[in-house]
Amino acid sequence: MDQRVKPAPHEIRRARTDNPKTRERDLAAQLGISEAELVAAHCGDGVVRVEPRVNDLLTGLEAVGEVMALTRNESAVHEKIGVYDKVVTGNHNAMVLGENIDLRIFPKIWAHGFAVEKRDGDDIRRSLQFFDAAGEAVHKVHLRPGSNLYAYQKLVASLESSNQGPLVAISGPAAENEGEAAATTANLDDLRDRWSRLTDVHQFFGMLKTLKLSRRQAVRMVGQDYAWLLDNDAVRAMFNHAAAGEMPIMCFVGNRGCIQIHSGPVKSIKPMGPWINVLDETFHLHLRTDHIHEVWAVRKPTKDGHVTSLEVYDAVGNMIIQFFGKRHEGEGERDDWRFLAENLPRIPSPTAA
């Protein structure tokens, strides 16, 4: 455990001034603090603390118009340009179901929020940034040139917190980890029976919860008729084939508080060092390939026939990113996506964890 004394707010601001080009996430790591603490230190200096009232935020964002939505985890950054429309509010789950911005949100995870103004030459870049109790970013909204500034300022004023101090209370990382649960006592026959009776992909999480399995434990156990291990370079191959064939895919990146989804084709695939980058007009993705530990092709039964996903895990078993062929409820899986998923390079599966 890191026992360093955390820097005071004025020391954090000085470090930001001395390192103007360092990304916030990287600077926070260098200082031994969370990103939320880095942002909070600037309250009163381009930063306004806002209440993380998710339902009020989502309904207010509709009027702001075109923005860029950003959701990330340690290994992938997912950016979509569009409008927050078709909002479904809820205290346990909320959704945005717009054409470009498609989100599944878990409001109880959202603990801290800030409206941030950052000068960039003659321009001011504005964003709303939200963090979990550990200070990890769950979701950010960046204004665009066409955004409605008046609606944004009205929204910030409505969410403004009475606490504008430069300190934020941070708890430790969440106890639950999607990755490796404790050694499982789940029965293989029970898992395969429940898996075979799935009628909707959304039932999968409930099945895991009932059996007290992590997602990766389940795919390792279930058998190669339902899940098979792929070469780590399968993700790069999938992107290249999907782009060449103009195949619409679904790409999910999430953390504990938010999952963000792209549905549609991918065109401009740009590798750079350890990163695979998608640089399309309304969709940017940045994926750290050196964080990829396992890639699984996973087949789940549904009432419309089975569907196949690619699931990418890091070294501790957390899912980095997930892919499907684009489909709508009531439709079968795309033949071209199924052919691609079933013909990516396989490697022998490890024994169950």
Side-chain angles (χ1 to χ4, degrees):
M1 185 175 176
D2 194 338
Q3 298 294 331
R4 287 182 295 175
V5 175
K6 289 185 177 182
H10 73 276
E11 295 171 314
I12 296 171
R13 293 194 296 272
R14 185 189 311 131
R16 172 77 285 177
T17 301
D18 292 345
N19 300 275
K21 295 187 177 180
T22 305
R23 294 187 311 157
E24 279 77 5
R25 189 179 180 90
D26 295 338
L27 182 58
Q30 291 170 21
L31 294 172
I33 59 175
S34 69
E35 190 179 350
E37 290 169 292
L38 177 66
V39 176
H42 293 80
C43 279
D45 182 20
V47 173
V48 174
R49 192 190 303 265
V50 296
E51 299 290 344
R53 300 198 309 267
V54 172
N55 292 329
D56 294 337
L57 169 74
L58 296 179
T59 53
L61 277 171
E62 293 184 79
V64 179
E66 184 183 88
V67 293
M68 188 267 276
L70 186 154
T71 301
R72 69 165 302 153
N73 53 44
E74 190 66 33
S75 307
V77 184
H78 192 297
E79 303 170 354
K80 287 287 288 187
I81 294 170
V83 176
Y84 282 72
D85 58 0
K86 300 181 181 175
V87 169
V88 180
T89 58
N91 293 327
H92 296 285
N93 299 281
M95 296 185 287
V96 181
L97 301 172
E99 181 181 355
N100 278 322
I101 295 182
D102 188 357
L103 306 171
R104 306 294 178 270
I105 293 169
F106 311 102
K108 292 188 181 299
I109 302 299
W110 296 38
H112 310 287
F114 305 91
V116 179
E117 291 190 354
K118 192 171 182 182
R119 189 164 291 282
D120 183 12
D122 294 332
D123 297 324
I124 296 176
R125 290 188 284 138
R126 295 176 174 88
S127 62
L128 290 162
Q129 304 187 15
F130 296 91
F131 302 86
D132 66 13
E136 290 287 318
V138 292
H139 189 62
K140 298 181 181 181
V141 183
H142 292 265
L143 266 61
R144 303 261 303 157
S147 302
N148 184 325
L149 184 56
Y150 171 75
Y152 170 77
Q153 291 170 334
K154 184 179 177 183
L155 176 59
V156 171
S158 73
L159 295 173
E160 185 171 345
S161 172
S162 59
N163 172 16
Q164 293 298 325
L167 297 173
V168 64
I170 294 298
S171 67
E176 70 258 33
N177 179 6
E178 179 196 293
E180 293 310 322
T184 182
T185 57
N187 179 278
L188 174 59
D189 291 336
D190 190 16
L191 170 63
R192 287 182 57 83
D193 176 60
R194 290 172 184 269
W195 194 305
S196 70
R197 291 187 284 110
L198 294 172
T199 59
D200 188 301
V201 293
H202 299 103
Q203 296 168 351
F204 192 72
F205 178 73
M207 180 191 76
L208 296 178
K209 195 170 181 182
T210 299
L211 295 173
K212 298 181 180 177
L213 283 172
S214 75
R215 185 181 287 266
R216 191 171 72 158
Q217 283 174 323
V219 300
R220 283 183 161 196
M221 280 181 63
V222 71
Q224 294 198 35
D225 49 342
Y226 287 127
W228 58 95
L229 192 62
L230 300 175
D231 185 276
N232 283 359
D233 203 45
V235 176
R236 192 187 307 271
M238 181 277 296
F239 271 124
N240 290 335
H241 282 288
E246 300 181 353
M247 183 192 309
I249 65 171
M250 300 180 76
C251 171
F252 294 66
V253 169
N255 52 56
R256 294 177 65 244
C258 188
I259 298 169
Q260 186 162 305
I261 306 161
H262 164 76
S263 298
V266 290
K267 298 176 183 175
S268 180
I269 315 299
K270 304 287 186 185
M272 184 176 294
W275 297 87
I276 294 177
N277 303 288
V278 179
L279 302 175
D280 291 345
E281 187 176 355
T282 61
F283 174 48
H284 284 189
L285 175 74
H286 312 287
L287 172 64
R288 284 283 298 261
T289 58
D290 56 331
H291 287 189
I292 295 174
H293 186 69
E294 289 179 357
V295 182
W296 288 85
V298 182
R299 183 182 287 146
K300 302 183 186 81
T302 77
K303 64 182 185 299
D304 305 310
H306 73 257
V307 297
T308 315
S309 60
L310 297 188
E311 302 186 355
V312 182
Y313 295 90
D314 66 15
V316 296
N318 289 317
M319 188 188 290
I320 297 171
I321 194 167
Q322 183 181 37
F323 304 96
F324 291 86
K326 184 179 178 182
R327 60 183 283 273
H328 298 287
E329 196 75 25
E331 294 179 351
E333 182 166 68
R334 295 177 60 92
D335 291 337
D336 54 358
W337 169 259
R338 182 177 294 180
F339 180 84
L340 173 57
E342 292 180 350
N343 286 279
L344 290 168
R346 306 186 185 199
I347 59 177
S349 297
T351 56

